[in-house]
Amino acid sequence: MSSPENILVCVTQQITCERLILKAADLRNELRGELFVIHVAKNEWNFLDNIKEGEALEYLFKISKSVGANLSVLKSDNIVQTIVDFVNENKITHIVMGESPNDHKENNFYNELKSLLNKVEIHVIPQAGIG
């Protein structure tokens, strides 16, 4: 029997990440693995100070629960390394992430993840109807 396929969704503190969680849930149903949702916040960032972002995370937490996933919120100044560690600890085989707006630094984020996790399949979901 092959080992389970575990899926990790990387979310930001935006309600629009709901679509990433739902896409990943579909993938999980296909692969019959476990679904994990992660948000990594920089150490100096305090979501308690920002009501809107706190509400968005609360909303994403509910969506995650509704598809049987846990939302982990981790604090770190090295977001890529934190995700890599999480992937290794939880035997993640697939990552679902959103396309970054106008190809700037998050593309480096994708490239860094790809280079550090060459056995993990990364699914980049295009932005929905934003144009």
Side-chain angles (χ1 to χ4, degrees), residues 4-67:
E5 304 268 326
N6 292 333
I7 299 110
L8 175 65
V9 188
C10 299
V11 299
T12 59
Q13 64 283 10
Q14 294 174 325
I15 285 176
T16 52
C17 290
E18 173 186 9
R19 68 193 170 78
L20 302 178
I21 297 169
L22 298 177
K23 272 262 195 286
D26 290 344
L27 184 62
R28 185 256 337 257
N29 295 342
E30 250 174 71
L31 299 171
R32 304 199 187 297
E34 262 190 273
L35 182 58
F36 298 84
V37 183
I38 190 174
H39 171 66
V40 182
K42 288 215 174 264
N43 280 322
E44 75 275 4
W45 186 72
N46 183 354
F47 48 74
L48 299 175
D49 289 344
N50 191 322
I51 302 296
K52 214 177 188 56
E53 291 176 351
E55 283 173 359
L57 276 178
E58 185 66 31
Y59 177 76
L60 294 175
F61 181 75
K62 286 185 181 128
I63 298 296
S64 300
K65 252 184 130 52
S66 76
V67 296

Side-chain angles (χ1 to χ4, degrees), residues 100-111:
S100 64
N102 36 325
D103 295 340
H104 61 322
K105 68 175 171 45
E106 277 88 357
N107 268 3
N108 295 344
F109 175 73
Y110 167 82
N111 291 331

